[in-house]
Amino acid sequence: MARRKQSVTIKHVAADAGVSLQTVSRVINNEANVRPEMKERVQASIDKLGYVPSIAAQRMSGSRSYIILALNDRERTIAAWQAREGSDWVDQMLMGGMLKCAEYGYRLIFELVDTHDDNVQRELQGAIAALQPDGVILTPPHSDNPLITELLEQEQIPFARIGSRANGGNISLTMGDKRMARRVTRYLIDRGHTRIGFIAGPDEYAVSGRRKAGWREEMESAGLDTERLCVDGDFTFLSGERAARKLLSSIRRPTAIIASNDQMAMAANDVAHAVGLRVPGDVSIISFDNTPVVRFVQPPLTAVDQPIAATVGRAVELLIAANRGEDLPEMPVVIEGELIERASVRPLRSPVARA
């Protein structure tokens, strides 16, 4: 039987370069305290032998695990997977995090945690003990869960909050939710809409409040009434149906609706058609998220694209910088989305030119 080819290890690199294992490890980890000529010698051996660094080799420096742990809400994630409704939040999160981790020689580990579980700290402690992550990425609603953030602070593990403006020794990133809500509200106002309804998300998500506040502030700055034009949902299709029926059954129904996520926007689109209204002929609809499915409903929905991959990638960069003791930018870091125009908005007049 042919003997399996032995894989190249850090020991082979050290022997070929004539240096210690610790020196090879410092070169692999791109640490500053390595002389340029030593780095060149080790890198030449790595290239010659075709060595691929492993996490185990990187950990030899003793101070880092080279693992970033990303947490997402278990209940909502599993529900979205089972429904197969086209949500790509997790896909975008993994793409942004994994690709950025790979640039720095890190690995991204993805875990689901139920933020509503009283045992969330015990569950998280188990993951921390097993992985010893160098940093943790929190997505809503974990981003503002004190049980999670207090544990991470206690364990002295850097963490990045996505969708949170909270500060105090950690990294926070937002996608400009309030500003984008103002922008899309202004987009509709400039096109002649004065009665603009809003379907809000649940209060446990900080982004819900910021999106609602952005809509309200832009309406008020234009001198427009908001009374009875905001209905709360919970990001589900069913809640969007209920909210849309309430808005569209009003005597002075809105001529446009902004929904705080795609599922509720698609529900509003369905309800409008069901009650005999044309979209966008009688009511215009704009959504937040821009998941793939909104391109395939009729009409395709105008939506605020959330830069999830870019935001998670930036979170990885900031966590690595924090581990290296580098200066961090002012928080929160904003990775702003953009408005993707499709066929679900009808101008009631020509758009107003703005300076």
Side-chain angles (χ1 to χ4, degrees), residues 128-197:
I128 290 171
L131 299 170
Q132 294 295 306
D134 288 338
V136 176
I137 297 174
L138 303 177
T139 58
H142 298 329
S143 307
D144 292 298
N145 185 333
L147 292 176
I148 293 176
T149 57
E150 287 171 9
L151 173 61
L152 294 173
E153 288 174 345
Q154 177 185 323
E155 297 288 336
Q156 297 184 321
I157 298 174
F159 58 95
R161 294 173 164 185
I162 304 294
S164 175
R165 299 185 65 86
N167 217 326
N170 60 75
I171 296 163
S172 57
L173 304 96
T174 76
M175 290 179 266
D177 294 278
K178 184 176 180 180
R179 190 153 56 232
M180 289 306 299
R182 293 198 67 154
R183 179 180 166 188
V184 297
T185 305
R186 171 51 59 182
Y187 174 87
L188 290 167
I189 293 171
D190 286 346
R191 284 154 181 76
H193 294 274
T194 58
R195 288 191 57 77
I196 302 169

Side-chain angles (χ1 to χ4, degrees), residues 69-72 88-99 108-111 137-139 162 308-309 312-313:
L69 174 63
L71 301 180
N72 211 45
D88 67 342
W89 168 276
V90 173
D91 292 346
Q92 293 295 312
M93 179 182 171
L94 291 176
M95 180 177 73
M98 293 174 73
L99 292 179
L108 184 79
I109 304 295
F110 179 70
E111 292 276 339
I137 297 174
L138 303 177
T139 58
I162 304 294
I308 300 163
V312 175

Side-chain angles (χ1 to χ4, degrees), residues 28-243:
I28 292 169
N29 297 329
N30 199 27
E31 295 183 11
N33 58 341
V34 182
R35 297 194 311 273
E37 60 271 21
M38 188 64 70
K39 185 173 183 178
E40 289 179 11
R41 187 199 306 180
V42 172
Q43 189 61 52
S45 293
I46 288 173
D47 295 340
K48 181 176 76 173
L49 299 174
Y51 171 68
V52 178
S54 67
I55 291 178
Q58 291 174 305
R59 285 182 172 182
M60 289 189 67
S61 63
S63 60
R64 301 175 192 161
S65 67
Y66 292 86
I67 288 175
I68 300 293
L69 174 63
L71 301 180
N72 211 45
D73 184 67
R74 175 184 288 121
E75 182 180 348
R76 290 187 183 277
T77 301
I78 292 176
W81 283 343
Q82 291 175 334
R84 303 179 72 179
E85 291 173 332
S87 173
D88 67 342
W89 168 276
V90 173
D91 292 346
Q92 293 295 312
M93 179 182 171
L94 291 176
M95 180 177 73
M98 293 174 73
L99 292 179
K100 188 57 66 175
C101 277
E103 288 182 26
Y104 289 88
Y106 278 67
R107 296 294 185 273
L108 184 79
I109 304 295
F110 179 70
E111 292 276 339
L112 298 179
V113 175
D114 187 356
T115 197
H116 301 107
D117 190 342
D118 292 338
N119 297 319
V120 64
Q121 286 186 312
R122 186 192 315 163
E123 189 174 353
L124 183 54
Q125 279 177 321
I128 290 171
L131 299 170
Q132 294 295 306
D134 288 338
V136 176
I137 297 174
L138 303 177
T139 58
H142 298 329
S143 307
D144 292 298
N145 185 333
L147 292 176
I148 293 176
T149 57
E150 287 171 9
L151 173 61
L152 294 173
E153 288 174 345
Q154 177 185 323
E155 297 288 336
Q156 297 184 321
I157 298 174
F159 58 95
R161 294 173 164 185
I162 304 294
S164 175
R165 299 185 65 86
N167 217 326
N170 60 75
I171 296 163
S172 57
L173 304 96
T174 76
M175 290 179 266
D177 294 278
K178 184 176 180 180
R179 190 153 56 232
M180 289 306 299
R182 293 198 67 154
R183 179 180 166 188
V184 297
T185 305
R186 171 51 59 182
Y187 174 87
L188 290 167
I189 293 171
D190 286 346
R191 284 154 181 76
H193 294 274
T194 58
R195 288 191 57 77
I196 302 169
F198 192 87
I199 303 177
D203 290 339
E204 66 176 319
Y205 286 76
V207 296
S208 298
R210 290 200 293 275
R211 292 173 185 175
K212 186 194 298 186
W215 161 79
R216 190 179 301 278
E217 288 179 13
E218 195 62 34
M219 291 285 283
E220 290 174 353
S221 72
L224 298 176
D225 185 22
T226 60
E227 187 178 359
R228 298 183 182 179
L229 284 173
C230 181
V231 183
D232 290 340
D234 62 12
F235 287 153
T236 64
F237 190 93
L238 183 60
S239 74
E241 283 185 321
R242 289 194 295 261

